[in-house]
Each structure stands twice: as C-alpha cells, then as structure tokens.
Amino acid sequence: MSHTRELFDAEPVKPAILRKVIALPPTEAKIVLHFLSAKKTAEGTVLQSGMAIAKEIGMNRSQYARKIKDVLAAGWVEQAAKEQNIAYYRLGPEAGATDNATVIPLRRRAS
C-alpha cells in the first residue's frame, strides 16, 4: 500500500491510560499499545493493515481479527476508514482520544 500522507510520531501516553492498558488481557493490551505507539496521519489513522499489525505484534491474523473486535467494542480504537476490504483504525475515547477530526478517505495512487 502506497500513500503519500505524512505520518507523525505518537504523542506521549498519559500514565492513567497506561495503567488502564496493563489491566487489559494480554492480547488486547498488545493491540492497544501498538495503536498508542504507532505513527499516525494528521487525523490519527494508523495506516497499517490488520495483517501487518498482527505480524508486528507477534499474533496470527485470525487471533488479531477476533481481538480487534473486543478492542473496538471497549472503545480503545475506532474504525477511521475502509478501503476495499481493509479497515483502518485510530484511537478511540477509552484511549484518551478526544478530538477525532473528520476522516479523509484513503485513496490509492495510480501506478
């Protein structure tokens, strides 16, 4: 996937948020910590597929697919965009995200 969007380093995480994360089940905590520390677009979207995230955090794809649903339901992340069958996420209100700007749809560039 090739995007020309500028990615920004993660913001520092508040200690209160980290305390909540470490209380999560280990697989969910891994996912949330990834989203907290990942580079994001100006809108807060992490431009990685679930398969790429799963590989990076040491999970298989099916385990990630099951656990991301729990993380979504708990409000740690929320879907920011969807391109074909790939969903992209950003931090949700449980992770302290308070200003989720309007999402600009992701588009592929012609090769």
Side-chain angles (χ1 to χ4, degrees):
M1 176 176 220
S2 165
H3 292 281
T4 58
R5 294 174 156 238
E6 184 176 359
L7 297 179
F8 300 91
D9 289 330
E11 296 289 322
V13 180
K14 295 176 182 174
I17 298 294
L18 285 177
R19 284 191 291 276
K20 288 168 59 175
V21 172
I22 62 173
L24 292 171
T27 52
E28 293 172 31
K30 282 174 123 178
I31 293 170
V32 173
L33 287 170
H34 176 79
F35 280 94
L36 286 168
S37 62
K39 289 189 176 222
K40 301 167 186 68
T41 65
E43 297 83 22
T45 303
V46 175
L47 294 180
Q48 288 181 287
S49 68
M51 188 165 57
I53 293 170
K55 183 177 180 181
E56 191 171 316
I57 62 177
M59 272 185 203
N60 65 51
R61 195 171 79 188
S62 62
Q63 183 181 27
Y64 173 83
R66 284 191 310 272
K67 289 300 175 181
I68 192 68
K69 291 176 186 172
D70 296 335
V71 173
L72 281 161
W76 285 101
V77 298
E78 58 190 19
Q79 186 171 318
K82 189 165 187 169
E83 183 179 319
Q84 295 177 358
N85 66 339
I86 300 173
Y88 296 95
Y89 301 98
R90 64 179 170 215
L91 292 172
E94 192 65 26
T98 55
D99 182 19
N100 289 323
T102 302
V103 176
I104 299 169
L106 301 173
R107 294 193 179 121
R108 288 192 177 189
R109 292 182 57 174
S111 308

